[in-house]
Amino acid sequence: MRFSALGDVAMMVPVVYSLAMTYPDVRITVLSRKFARAFFDDLAPNVYFMGADLNMEYRGVKGLNALYRRLMAKNFTAVADFHNVLRSDYLRLRFNLDRYRVAHINKDRAGRRKLTAKGKKCLKQQDSPFKKYADVLARLGYPIENNFKSLFSEEGGNLNLLPALFGPKNSFERWIGIAPFAAHEGKIYPERLMWQVVDQLLACDPQVKIFLFGKGKKEEATFEEWCAKNQRCVSVSKHLETMHQELILMSHLDVMVSMDSANMHMASLVATPVVSIWGATHPLAGFMGWGQSLDNVVQLDLPCRPCSIFGNKPCLRGDYACLRNIAPEYIVEKVMKIIGSK
């Protein structure tokens, strides 16, 4: 079970898939927020999804007790808590009292504090959630080897399920995804600089098409402005309705440019290379996308980095130099190198 943000839940997918493939006779139920269904519905024959809204349907202790009764009806033999927060702790307590096999993730908060310390930092690679999730399963008696590749086949998802605007893709076209936003300012590359990235990529090759990923009023306003500047820009959320459709489109991109955000993880789940941009956060915290290469990471070496695990703390310098000092040309170079290799 895990109830957190989209990116954290997406990182469960390779582990759950590997568990399902290693133990095909074990029935696996993923408990998470309802938005995550697109990740797990067709993942494997023995994987099932159960959605729960902890803010409305199962709010407070009364709601958690109701959720627990619902879970009891499934007759689980083991419970893996991939979240380890107050609400999952309560559910875990109930399972423990009823003598279920239960294990939970170790977040290693001490290691994170040393990594983000204001003074002398300990720049040590932290275990990824992929490893931490697998460790939980091992403690329950289900050791695995992660062998996940993609949610889709090598050809990608079926473009025929998308509006005609998104296909077919000819062999000369280069499709680039741009996901310029994130939940916190410490993870967002400035808009004016990102437009320079988009503009330069469009100028590099007349066969380049840019797909803009992101939802919300600010995102929609920005994308409308960019699309008006160049017709080879497409605002994805304006035309696609579901996350499954977005995953299909991502599977046909030549490359995705993303912040340290959910879109990085979604593209990773469909085996699309990602040029990821890191500001306040750092790959050393363990949150790189599944199968992504450090060669495609864009970041600056500053003594204050990383200052946050999730990018939600105010900038210590006050200027977000970790993002604003990244030259657009550096990002474009990374993108073109991937496109050229194809």
Side-chain angles (χ1 to χ4, degrees):
M1 56 183 171
R2 176 133 200 173
F3 305 105
S4 55
L6 181 59
D8 296 311
V9 176
M11 296 180 84
M12 291 171 56
V13 172
V15 178
V16 173
Y17 174 84
S18 300
L19 175 66
M21 294 297 102
T22 306
Y23 305 96
D25 296 328
V26 173
R27 179 187 174 99
I28 302 160
T29 299
V30 176
L31 175 65
S32 187
R33 296 187 181 185
K34 294 179 180 179
F35 65 69
R37 181 175 295 278
F39 293 140
F40 300 100
D41 262 357
D42 299 312
L43 187 62
N46 56 329
V47 173
Y48 302 85
F49 181 79
M50 182 175 171
D53 186 344
L54 300 190
N55 294 322
M56 297 293 292
E57 188 180 5
Y58 298 108
R59 186 176 181 179
V61 174
K62 183 178 179 180
L64 289 174
N65 286 333
L67 177 57
Y68 179 71
R69 289 191 295 271
R70 183 183 169 195
L71 294 170
M72 283 282 288
K74 300 289 185 180
N75 295 317
F76 297 126
T77 56
V79 178
D81 178 3
F82 285 174
H83 203 174
N84 193 13
V85 294
L86 188 60
R87 288 179 287 192
S88 68
D89 288 351
Y90 181 79
L91 292 172
R92 199 170 72 238
L93 173 64
R94 293 294 309 268
F95 278 115
N96 271 315
L97 290 174
D98 284 331
R99 299 185 180 280
Y100 283 82
R101 279 190 295 157
V102 181
H104 66 276
I105 190 172
N106 176 14
K107 293 186 175 181
D108 190 14
R109 292 184 174 90
R112 291 180 176 182
R113 285 194 294 270
K114 292 177 182 178
L115 181 64
T116 59
K118 291 183 180 179
K120 188 176 180 181
K121 298 179 183 294
C122 179
L123 298 178
K124 179 181 177 182
Q125 179 67 55
Q126 303 296 298
D127 286 342
S128 71
F130 306 114
K131 183 181 185 305
K132 292 178 179 179
Y133 296 158
D135 288 345
V136 173
L137 297 176
R139 291 198 296 274
L140 289 173
Y142 298 97
I144 63 168
E145 289 188 14
N146 277 323
N147 52 15
F148 176 81
K149 293 183 179 179
S150 173
L151 288 171
F152 302 119
S153 66
E154 291 185 7
E155 291 75 27
N158 187 358
L159 280 175
N160 291 327
L161 298 177
L162 307 186
L165 173 69
F166 298 97
K169 177 186 180 184
N170 69 52
S171 59
F172 300 103
E173 286 184 312
R174 294 292 177 261
W175 286 9
I176 300 174
I178 304 284
F181 293 96
H184 305 292
E185 187 177 1
K187 299 201 291 186
I188 301 176
Y189 190 55
E191 283 182 41
R192 64 176 183 83
L193 296 179
M194 185 57 86
W195 168 249
Q196 291 181 40
V197 172
V198 172
D199 195 36
Q200 290 180 34
L201 288 172
L202 290 168
C204 284
D205 188 339
Q207 296 295 328
V208 164
K209 194 170 186 177
I210 302 289
F211 294 96
L212 305 169
F213 290 83
K215 296 180 180 178
K217 290 184 178 180
K218 182 176 177 59
E219 289 87 339
E220 290 170 5
T222 299
F223 294 164
E224 184 176 351
E225 179 184 338
W226 290 2
C227 291
K229 290 181 179 179
N230 196 304
Q231 293 184 346
R232 285 188 283 146
C233 291
V234 178
S235 178
V236 171
S237 64
K238 188 176 180 179
H239 302 279
L240 300 185
E241 297 179 352
T242 67
M243 188 164 68
H244 181 68
Q245 288 181 316
E246 291 192 15
L247 288 165
I248 291 174
L249 176 58
M250 286 183 184
S251 72
H252 290 275
L253 299 176
D254 293 281
V255 60
M256 168 71 89
V257 179
S258 175
M259 308 300 102
D260 167 22
S261 68
N263 285 292
M264 171 181 67
H265 295 293
M266 289 173 64
S268 300
L269 294 182
V270 294
T272 293
V274 179
V275 172
S276 54
I277 303 170
W278 301 71
T281 59
H282 199 289
L284 284 175
F287 291 97
M288 277 281 288
W290 175 257
Q292 296 299 330
S293 170
L294 281 171
D295 291 339
N296 299 332
V297 166
V298 174
Q299 62 181 335
L300 296 178
D301 289 329
L302 296 175
C304 56
R305 285 192 67 239
C307 63
S308 172
I309 295 297
F310 305 110
N312 56 343
K313 296 181 179 180
C315 176
L316 297 173
R317 294 169 48 118
D319 61 357
Y320 291 101
C322 56
L323 291 161
R324 294 178 182 176
N325 289 354
I326 296 174
E329 292 77 11
Y330 183 43
I331 300 171
V332 172
E333 180 184 347
K334 293 273 189 182
V335 172
M336 297 310 295
K337 183 177 180 181
I338 293 174
I339 290 178
S341 68
K342 292 188 174 184

